[in-house]
DNA sequence: TCAATATTTCAAGGATTATTGAAACGTGGA
DNA sequence: TCCACGTTTCAATAATCCTTGAAATATTGA
């Protein structure tokens, strides 16, 4: 993940609808969700959801595949972990004390989910 | 770090000048850097650097204090680690396998700096 | 107090991004 | 083949963001 990719990725995550879309896709797992279902879940119009999905795709955070009439999107886990890594490396450059609290996050121990 | 804060923070990081500013401030450490020096370092006009620093401040990623004629900015380490944490919790909700590769990042082991 | 320094604020302009609805496209079933 | 479905594309508009330079503010030292 180079700086340019990170910039685009941050831009993609800075919009409410897109953040919700990505969250749904992460929770859905590798099987993904069809564009239409996503539109219902986040409550926006089909053309608007298409616009934002394209933006997430441009950022490399999701991928699309056709399944019959539907187009199924799924989260790109590698890109997400790459972005976390970019942020950690940027922040920690010379300052490991920044990452330490984040690394204490319990979400990634096996069996743990999102904090309430 | 709630969703609204995260959205603003991602927006702040999605701009090249601001990302450079933040990087300089992180490397500089808690002592911070004066606005004018930052303007020189990143190569933008004083008024433009002021605009972007205000944006970073609005996002909670930096703080400002006056020191004589200068205004000295410094990175808000807590906000940065909070953002990393938000990303990890969001990504890992139900999917710890996303974070695992990011957590293998060597940057945060004591004594390590940014990866080359 | 005056001038110089460091920075911010403001207004104007241009550039990018978001939303909307209509039209177009590809797919599968009758 | 034809129609319905799911989705994308397009054009137009609205909204937001970025840049620029000039003027304003606060501070320091002569």
């Amino acid at each position: 993940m180079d700086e340019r990719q990170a910039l685009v990725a941050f831009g993609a995550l800075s919009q409410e609808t897109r953040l919700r879309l990505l969250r749904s896709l992460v929770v859905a797992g590798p099987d993904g969700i069809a564009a239409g279902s996503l539109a219902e879940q986040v409550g926006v119009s089909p053309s608007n959801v298409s616009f934002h999905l394209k933006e997430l795709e441009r950022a490399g955070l999701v991928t699309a595949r056709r399944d019959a009439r539907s187009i199924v999107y799924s989260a790109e886990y590698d890109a997400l972990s790459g972005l976390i890594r970019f942020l950690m490396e940027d922040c920690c450059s010379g300052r490991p004390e920044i990452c330490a609290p984040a690394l204490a996050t319990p979400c990634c121990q096996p069996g743990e989910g999102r904090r309430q």
Side-chain angles (χ1 to χ4, degrees), chain A:
Chain A
M1 168 92 43
D2 62 16
E3 178 177 315
R4 190 142 302 274
Q5 284 180 286
L7 281 169
V8 177
F10 286 135
L13 295 181
S14 70
Q15 209 279 340
E16 196 174 358
T17 300
R18 288 196 293 261
L19 191 56
R20 279 200 217 137
L21 287 170
L22 187 66
R23 258 210 272 247
S24 290
L25 290 173
V26 165
V27 172
D31 289 350
I33 310 182
S37 308
L38 281 169
E40 273 186 29
Q41 276 187 38
V42 307
V44 304
S45 72
S47 86
N48 197 17
V49 95
S50 177
F51 170 80
H52 286 301
L53 284 170
K54 227 180 63 178
E55 200 67 12
L56 285 168
E57 197 176 15
R58 189 173 70 89
L61 295 171
V62 308
T63 45
R65 69 189 151 85
R66 179 174 280 277
D67 176 18
R69 274 186 266 210
S70 294
I71 300 200
V72 175
Y73 286 86
S74 31
E76 269 291 317
Y77 290 2
D78 288 354
L80 280 169
S81 76
L83 189 61
I84 295 173
R85 191 170 181 139
F86 178 88
L87 206 42
M88 294 206 306
E89 288 176 341
D90 253 42
C91 294
C92 290
S93 53
R95 302 283 154 185
E97 68 269 27
I98 302 179
C99 280
L103 292 174
T105 297
C107 78
C108 288
Q109 268 72 52
E112 304 253 11
R114 193 178 203 288
R115 189 186 50 178
Q116 304 304 322

